[in-house]
Amino acid sequence: MDPVRLPLPVVDAAPVVPAVAKPFVHFAVLDDLLNAARANSLWPLTFGLACCAIEMMAVGASKYDLDRFGAGVFRPSARQADVMIFAGTISRKMGPVIKQLWDQMPSPKWSIAMGGCTIDGGPFKYPNQYAIYEGADHLVPVDVYIPGCPPRPEALIAGILRLQEKIKKGEKGDARP
Amino acid sequence: MSPASATPVSLDGLLLESADADFAVTGFHRVHSASVERIGDVARAYDEGAYLLEMITCEDRREDLKAMRLVYTFNRFAGDLDRHVVTVDLSGEIPGAEAPSINGVYPAANWFEREIYDMYGVTFSGHPNLKRILLPDDADFHALLRDFGRMEDAES
Amino acid sequence: MRQSAGPTLERTDEADTYYLNMGPQHPSMHGVLRLLLKLRGEEIVTCEPVIGYAHRAHEKMAENRNYIMFIPNTSRVDYLSGMIYNIAFCQAIEKLCSIEVPERAEVIRIIACELNRIQSHLLWFGTFLLDLGGITPFLYCFDDREEILDILDRVTGSRLTYAYGRFGGVTMDVDQDFLVRTLAFVKRIRSRFPMYEKLVGENVIFRERCEGVGVITPEVARQYGVSGPTLRASGIGYDVRRAEPYGGYDRFDFEIPTRTAGDCMARFEVRMAEMEQSCRIIEQAVAAMPEGPIGPKKLVQRLKPPEGMFYFAVESARGHFGQYILSDGSNTPLKLKMRTPSFSNLSAMETVLEGTMVADTIAIVGSIDIVMPEIDR
Amino acid sequence: MPTTLIEQFGNPAIAIATGVGGVMTVLSLNALFLIWLERKVSAWIQRRMGPMEVGFHGVFQTIADMLKLLGKQLITPKGIDKPLYHLAPIVVFAPVVAATSLLPFSKSVAISNIDIGLVLIFVFGGFAVVGIFMAGWGSNNKYALLGAMRSVAQNISYEIPLILSALAVVLMVSAVGREVPIDGEIVALNGLNLAHITMAQVHWTWFILVQPVAALIYFISVLAETNRAPFDIPEAESELVAGFHTEYSGMRFALFFFAEFSNMFIGAMVATVLFLGGWEGPILPGPVWFFLKTYALIFIMMWVRWTYPRLRFDQLMTFCWAILIPLSILNLLVTALVIKVVQS
């Protein structure tokens, strides 16, 4: 009778500092240029799941205008998108679809978990919940988490800027295996 | 269907019980109960009276002596508001009780019945497309049954 | 010569047809609706909506929590008319437990709900045009919509998912500034209607795309339990605010706009006219704002509902939203069924979409104004 | 007469290399600029700001986009028709380069000056359809296939009014005169030579004034040929996800993107030559006028795109076959009659 439970990620007590592999040849300028270009051209996938999608639309609209940061080109095809913004609750039925969409996106790709639902289930989390995935990181690696229910548009912009910083520094996502 | 053609429903002989209800308190004008065999006829009578099917739902009343109960509410656009509720008690295993589908009378019942099948495991005979609607196709549980997924169970 | 393999098309049971899967990730599926279309060329032979991709177990949560704990859930059922759902739940419990609501709270609720309704219709208008390929009106609507969100944000603290209602009133009182800004907004939106009419309503391409497309006859509407503006566009003037007045709507003077064509254009016109009626209600409510408390003197600590079945309906931006509560006398419902309008409206699509073209499908599904989590709950 | 590169260099190989290189540079820079302009124009229309952060008012935004697309993974989906899928972006982009090399930018600047330039331009324009269909057919994606089929039907239909309205101009050129004094020498004007079309307008008047119907039909057909809104049904975003290029990622997608904007550019340039007097204008040098007129037309195309919703497919075809084609035939007949009457 119990729904299939996903194994929760095991978190070590002491934070492990990842060993950064030093590339043999470092194309410093070229890499930096490419990273800067990537950071400034984050095309999100047109993909809304629930409430947060409306705020995502609001961010794309006149008052907040995500296009200022070069991130306003919402691409409906996963093949042409760079960043997946999880905007809303991820239901059990939706999980496989999201996995497939993520696999369809070309590398390098990033993801933003927008809102409480995609962080840990948010307001829909309760013991024995059967309908949702408690967090987007059960499915795909997440680069930036934005709290809120739904996060305000300013918060999403801050999240995008945080992702830009990360890309410019050449950091890989924390949750990236 | 025009307002003038709205006729009162004749439900003579189709119901087990019938009573007036206080609309101001319960939100229903009349409360009926019917046997599971006659629900198709009841629906047909309402359809002839140009009523609409507002919703169908199901209750798992295991802690309340009776087992499963289907709840149909009918209303009308024309004339004054007249909301009727028809309850149908089901016998049989849980999950796995059976009831006839009224999809042939009200196409609206299609999705409601699928939802009840999905959530309570009630099978509707004569339904053209009885499969899960909200939960994934491969789910092996009926989510709104009383003994499934209770918060207390997880805490203890 | 090498034979070209060509695209793979799944076999259907009918000759010259193929399946096209639309969604759950598709730009005009309003979130996560999935349509399984059987097409002959671009003509739709059958259409099967697949739902459940936003199922969040609201009803199970209601059975697991007491009434007060369920308040935050309500506005997330339909996040576009979250205020209406939130207030509706409170009104249902007030009626169930016979809790008095002061007049000022009622008027505040009506203003908030009608603002929410305008906001929802504006967003529908924008996304509908987006579905038809016109991008700019969407941004104009969001511009106007932001104003409403700001007004509501000021008193409720949130932009979409409100928890403003309390059993017996509202959480926060409104001030003079709120009323001034609301009136200013009404003035502003009134001045925008002619522009929308000119840009969209009189646009030849828009009319071509909408007139005669996706006709829902009154009979189909009744059989499928269609409600809201979609129903009123089919010529039936059924509005819960008028048919079974709740929350003090009977004190206000407003019209129920109807059209008889039943097509996408009629639905567009009904919603545009409804925004104007909401403006009228807001103006009357602001003028009639009484002084007094906004909630019960003592906070409702423990609810004592009577046993039995109970039904309470309101008119949300999408139609008849009904709450069926089965109570056993405790402060947790045995069963809370939410009868949501889009669920029934969408179920009518299997009939309406047959024989239309792919582009019409987008227009029709857009015109009935669906919100997926409200359908999936 | 515009001096062509071959005349200037003498050696055809060097001339062609220079020409193709020049055209590629112009086209790439132009596409970069147009994409930025499109985003800015849409932003102005929509009361937004558009790209602001990359360079002054986001001027380097498109460069960042292109660099990013260069560094993107090229996904080759399963089950595709490999030759078609890989060739399609090139087939779409190459004719654009070829077509641009035919246009006279000013009295003295042109890469080549061919007597059947107008015909060749339409031939190259027709090639794009092949590329689009290859992309749609080869992608093994039903949205792409639908988009490609729409595209073929639409482009072939709209080529008819496009050419018919251009034919009216060809007639006008021959009417202006077989013997026209230009720069001291007598030239027999050839209606299919793009430079001659411009010269006829320099000699007489802009054809938009005497052929307004043809100009309007031409402009509408160009919108349809370049798949711009309200005729953007082959890639109708809200219906077909991304239409024929749904399955393309990275630089392959960028080529389609480039081709779309370059097609727009060519459509506007040909319209400038046919109806707006090409390089003619006071004070400023020829090429400046040429590009000013071209960009004005492109601006109008953008304006239309951000104002109107999309037509439905069958309405689009009805509009072409029931209104545009009869109208353009009528226009052509009237033009021929009037010329005959005036000449006799």
Side-chain angles (χ1 to χ4, degrees):
Chain A
M1 279 294 270
D2 267 349
V4 187
R5 292 256 144 214
L6 288 165
L8 285 163
V10 183
V11 181
D12 289 337
V16 180
V17 182
V20 180
K22 288 247 162 58
F24 184 61
V25 184
H26 190 62
F27 297 98
V29 182
L30 201 61
D31 267 359
D32 287 350
L33 187 68
L34 203 55
N35 281 338
R38 282 171 177 160
N40 283 305
S41 168
L42 288 170
W43 294 357
L45 183 66
T46 318
F47 183 44
L49 288 159
C51 330
C52 292
I54 304 298
E55 289 297 65
M56 191 166 81
M57 282 153 76
V59 177
S62 307
K63 191 171 172 185
Y64 299 99
D65 191 17
L66 206 50
D67 210 18
R68 282 181 296 157
F69 310 100
V73 188
F74 283 86
R75 294 306 307 175
S77 169
R79 301 270 188 230
Q80 294 146 14
D82 306 304
V83 54
M84 190 186 235
I85 302 178
F86 296 101
T89 323
I90 301 168
S91 69
R92 288 283 162 97
K93 203 170 177 176
M94 200 66 202
V97 182
I98 284 178
K99 195 93 185 65
Q100 189 180 358
L101 280 169
W102 176 253
D103 292 342
Q104 281 176 349
M105 281 166 61
S107 296
K109 54 194 169 186
W110 294 275
S111 72
I112 295 178
M114 180 183 182
C117 298
T118 53
I119 295 174
D120 71 339
F124 302 101
K125 182 180 179 171
Y126 70 88
N128 249 343
Q129 162 67 286
Y130 67 91
I132 63 163
Y133 280 101
E134 288 165 3
D137 44 13
H138 289 232
L139 293 161
V140 301
V142 175
D143 290 288
V144 173
Y145 296 87
I146 308 170
C149 188
R152 302 182 70 88
E154 297 90 335
L156 180 55
I157 291 177
I160 296 256
L161 292 179
R162 177 75 189 86
L163 184 59
Q164 287 190 352
E165 270 170 40
K166 248 178 131 165
I167 297 169
K168 278 180 193 156
K169 277 188 213 152
E171 268 178 59
K172 292 276 181 279
D174 310 336
R176 216 170 275 276
Chain B
M1 197 216 61
S2 67
S5 70
T7 48
V9 198
S10 61
L11 294 162
D12 299 338
L14 296 174
L15 303 171
L16 296 174
E17 277 172 60
S18 176
D20 279 330
D22 186 359
F23 179 73
V25 176
T26 63
F28 297 113
H29 290 96
R30 289 185 73 77
V31 178
H32 304 307
S33 72
S35 69
V36 67
E37 295 85 27
R38 305 307 294 272
I39 184 64
D41 298 327
V42 173
R44 215 159 289 122
Y46 276 111
D47 187 37
E48 277 158 20
Y51 276 62
L52 73 137
L53 177 69
E54 260 179 1
M55 64 154 201
I56 312 175
T57 188
C58 185
E59 297 161 356
D60 182 354
R61 301 170 70 127
R62 261 179 284 176
E63 286 164 12
D64 196 36
L65 297 176
K66 286 166 186 164
M68 302 290 265
R69 173 182 271 188
L70 291 175
V71 179
Y72 298 75
T73 65
F74 297 92
N75 193 0
R76 65 179 178 194
F77 295 140
D80 288 338
L81 182 80
D82 191 19
R83 182 173 288 121
H84 293 198
V85 58
V86 180
T87 60
V88 175
D89 287 321
L90 300 179
S91 55
E93 298 235 331
I94 296 174
E98 266 195 59
S101 167
I102 61 163
N103 182 41
V105 187
Y106 283 104
N110 188 329
W111 282 21
F112 284 119
E113 285 173 355
R114 275 176 70 186
E115 191 191 334
I116 293 166
Y117 166 73
D118 196 358
M119 293 298 175
Y120 291 94
V122 177
T123 328
F124 289 89
S125 53
H127 192 286
N129 186 24
L130 194 66
K131 59 181 184 192
R132 287 184 179 270
I133 186 167
L134 296 182
L135 295 172
D137 285 335
D138 55 357
D140 57 353
F141 55 91
H142 300 285
L144 284 180
L145 288 179
R146 196 147 293 283
D147 54 3
F148 172 80
R150 287 200 300 190
M151 214 150 81
E152 305 91 73
D153 295 350
E155 278 159 2
S156 63
Chain C
M1 198 188 136
R2 191 181 155 277
Q3 200 77 39
S4 169
T8 14
L9 302 174
E10 290 89 349
R11 245 169 233 288
T12 64
D13 44 2
E14 216 177 311
D16 299 333
T17 58
Y18 63 100
Y19 284 117
L20 181 71
N21 177 51
M22 229 178 224
Q25 185 265 331
H26 185 283
S28 46
M29 282 298 123
H30 294 254
V32 289
L33 172 63
R34 176 175 163 217
L35 293 179
L36 196 56
L37 305 170
K38 189 155 99 181
L39 298 173
R40 182 180 289 119
E42 283 215 22
E43 187 198 321
I44 285 150
V45 183
T46 57
C47 162
E48 190 195 337
V50 182
I51 60 173
Y53 290 99
H55 178 60
R56 308 196 271 193
H58 282 293
E59 286 171 15
K60 191 74 191 174
M61 285 172 84
E63 290 172 24
N64 269 323
R65 297 178 164 188
N66 63 35
Y67 292 113
I68 296 170
M69 285 161 79
F70 191 65
I71 291 181
N73 273 59
T74 50
S75 60
R76 285 164 181 86
V77 176
D78 176 354
Y79 41 77
L80 288 185
S81 45
M83 182 66 84
I84 301 177
Y85 275 56
N86 186 238
I87 301 290
F89 179 70
C90 295
Q91 283 167 335
I93 303 306
E94 282 151 12
K95 211 171 162 190
L96 181 70
C97 305
S98 315
I99 301 169
E100 283 288 312
V101 184
E103 205 181 335
R104 184 176 172 87
E106 274 199 340
V107 176
I108 292 174
R109 282 174 172 191
I110 281 175
I111 295 177
C113 286
E114 292 308 315
L115 280 175
N116 202 224
R117 194 185 310 275
I118 297 177
Q119 179 263 121
S120 176
H121 283 349
L122 275 177
L123 189 127
W124 166 83
F125 172 68
T127 48
F128 180 46
L129 260 291
L130 207 58
D131 291 347
L132 294 178
I135 298 162
T136 301
F138 168 77
L139 288 115
Y140 288 0
C141 293
F142 262 71
D143 223 14
D144 290 341
R145 197 178 151 264
E146 286 292 335
E147 189 65 35
I148 301 184
L149 296 185
D150 281 352
I151 294 171
L152 290 179
D153 189 8
R154 234 182 132 259
V155 286
T156 66
S158 52
R159 283 164 52 90
L160 277 183
T161 47
Y162 312 102
Y164 188 47
R166 284 294 177 272
F167 303 141
V170 290
T171 50
M172 302 285 261
D173 201 355
V174 300
D175 55 5
Q176 197 56 34
D177 190 49
F178 172 86
L179 301 178
V180 171
R181 283 184 72 175
T182 306
L183 285 181
F185 170 76
V186 168
K187 206 172 153 208
R188 168 187 167 149
I189 192 80
R190 281 234 172 92
S191 71
R192 302 274 280 182
F193 288 143
M195 190 265 280
Y196 290 141
E197 185 58 27
K198 242 190 169 131
L199 179 66
V200 176
E202 291 171 8
N203 187 318
V204 186
I205 298 178
F206 177 76
R207 297 193 79 95
E208 280 282 312
R209 285 294 303 274
C210 290
E211 277 171 1
V213 170
V215 176
I216 300 178
T217 59
E219 184 56 21
V220 166
R222 180 182 70 81
Q223 282 176 337
Y224 278 96
V226 172
S227 57
T230 313
L231 174 73
R232 293 192 281 277
S234 296
I236 300 174
Y238 173 82
D239 187 319
V240 183
R241 286 177 293 176
R242 183 59 56 79
E244 40 182 323
Y246 59 91
Y249 270 107
D250 45 354
R251 290 202 298 270
F252 295 98
D253 172 36
F254 61 100
E255 285 158 28
I256 313 281
T258 55
R259 296 288 182 278
T260 48
D263 55 6
C264 293
M265 193 67 202
R267 294 194 268 280
F268 168 77
E269 286 170 358
V270 163
R271 287 205 177 83
M272 294 314 267
E274 250 175 43
M275 279 199 260
E276 167 60 30
Q277 295 305 322
S278 292
C279 287
R280 278 183 64 194
I281 297 177
I282 291 171
E283 279 177 340
Q284 293 171 40
V286 170
M289 179 67 80
E291 291 297 319
I294 53 151
K297 282 191 199 76
K298 223 170 121 255
L299 202 66
V300 181
Q301 294 286 351
R302 192 165 180 82
L303 295 165
K304 288 192 188 64
E307 286 182 33
M309 295 185 293
F310 178 79
Y311 192 88
F312 183 75
V314 300
E315 181 77 17
S316 91
R318 268 150 282 282
H320 176 129
F321 169 54
Q323 294 165 87
Y324 171 86
I325 297 172
L326 179 69
S327 161
D328 62 350
S330 72
N331 63 354
T332 304
L334 265 182
K335 161 91 193 158
L336 172 70
K337 157 84 184 167
M338 285 183 266
R339 186 260 185 225
T340 48
S342 298
F343 186 82
S344 300
N345 293 1
L346 187 70
S347 74
M349 282 303 106
E350 54 180 9
T351 313
V352 177
L353 288 181
E354 249 171 59
T356 60
M357 313 247 308
V358 174
D360 285 341
T361 308
I362 306 291
I364 297 165
V365 172
S367 75
I368 59 165
D369 189 13
I370 51 168
V371 169
M372 284 318 289
E374 177 223 23
I375 294 171
D376 298 338
R377 281 156 289 148
Chain D
M1 285 303 288
T3 22
T4 61
L5 281 177
I6 298 184
E7 285 163 20
Q8 278 176 359
F9 284 95
N11 184 337
I14 300 176
I16 289 169
T18 322
V20 170
V23 167
M24 290 288 277
T25 318
V26 168
L27 276 183
S28 310
L29 289 177
N30 171 67
L32 288 178
F33 172 69
L34 278 188
I35 294 169
W36 174 81
L37 187 72
E38 172 103 62
R39 285 171 80 166
K40 275 301 196 190
V41 167
S42 71
W44 291 329
I45 291 177
Q46 295 163 349
R47 304 160 49 130
R48 296 187 287 127
M49 292 169 100
M52 287 299 283
E53 298 291 312
V54 195
F56 176 73
H57 278 256
V59 281
F60 297 127
Q61 182 60 56
T62 341
I63 295 173
D65 288 344
M66 285 305 143
L67 268 177
K68 175 209 73 176
L69 283 171
L70 260 174
K72 273 298 235 199
Q73 181 188 9
L74 287 173
I75 291 183
T76 309
K78 219 161 74 177
I80 54 158
D81 196 319
K82 281 208 172 98
L84 294 187
Y85 179 85
H86 291 300
L87 270 178
I90 301 162
V91 174
V92 168
F93 193 64
V96 177
V97 180
T100 313
S101 63
L102 294 169
L103 286 156
F105 299 115
S106 90
K107 216 173 348 182
S108 53
V109 182
I111 290 154
S112 58
N113 185 24
I114 302 174
D115 273 349
I116 50 163
L118 190 61
V119 179
L120 268 182
I121 290 240
F122 289 133
V123 170
F124 289 134
F127 257 110
V129 190
V130 180
I132 289 176
F133 192 73
M134 281 163 72
W137 182 264
S139 293
N140 188 24
N141 180 310
K142 280 177 263 188
Y143 288 110
L145 181 67
L146 274 174
M149 291 197 308
R150 285 175 169 198
S151 172
V152 170
Q154 170 184 340
N155 282 32
I156 289 177
S157 306
Y158 273 86
E159 244 157 50
I160 300 168
L162 185 80
I163 292 173
L164 284 178
S165 55
L167 267 185
V169 170
V170 174
L171 281 186
M172 293 302 290
V173 175
S174 55
V176 168
R178 294 238 160 258
E179 289 166 4
V180 178
I182 284 167
D183 293 344
E185 54 178 311
I186 301 293
V187 181
L189 288 184
N190 171 1
L192 295 177
N193 186 317
L194 291 164
H196 287 194
I197 294 173
T198 316
M199 282 184 246
Q201 295 178 73
V202 175
H203 181 70
W204 187 32
T205 177
W206 291 7
F207 286 142
I208 192 171
L209 299 175
V210 282
Q211 283 285 359
V213 179
L216 190 66
I217 293 173
Y218 185 87
F219 185 70
I220 292 172
S221 305
V222 163
L223 285 182
E225 281 286 293
T226 51
N227 301 335
R228 297 282 300 177
F231 307 107
D232 61 339
I233 58 164
E235 45 197 309
E237 193 176 290
S238 59
E239 295 158 26
L240 300 183
V241 185
F244 59 87
H245 56 68
T246 304
E247 288 289 344
Y248 283 88
S249 59
M251 261 336 259
R252 293 182 191 143
F253 161 67
L255 275 182
F256 282 115
F257 218 60
F258 262 56
E260 184 191 324
F261 280 90
S262 303
N263 266 325
M264 219 168 109
F265 185 49
I266 290 174
M269 282 197 292
V270 175
T272 307
V273 169
L274 288 180
F275 297 102
L276 295 179
W279 63 70
E280 199 209 354
I283 307 163
L284 296 171
V288 176
W289 273 111
F290 188 86
F291 284 110
L292 269 183
K293 289 170 188 173
T294 307
Y295 281 117
L297 277 177
I298 288 175
F299 176 74
I300 296 175
M301 286 161 97
M302 290 178 176
W303 190 358
V304 169
R305 171 171 178 186
W306 296 104
T307 307
Y308 286 110
R310 185 183 304 122
L311 275 165
R312 205 173 61 205
F313 183 57
D314 56 328
Q315 292 164 346
L316 177 93
M317 298 301 276
T318 318
F319 182 59
C320 178
W321 289 96
I323 297 174
L324 283 188
I325 292 180
L327 199 62
S328 52
I329 291 176
L330 197 71
N331 181 58
L332 192 63
L333 282 177
V334 171
T335 309
L337 271 177
V338 170
I339 289 172
K340 200 75 197 160
V341 169
V342 170
Q343 278 179 347
S344 59

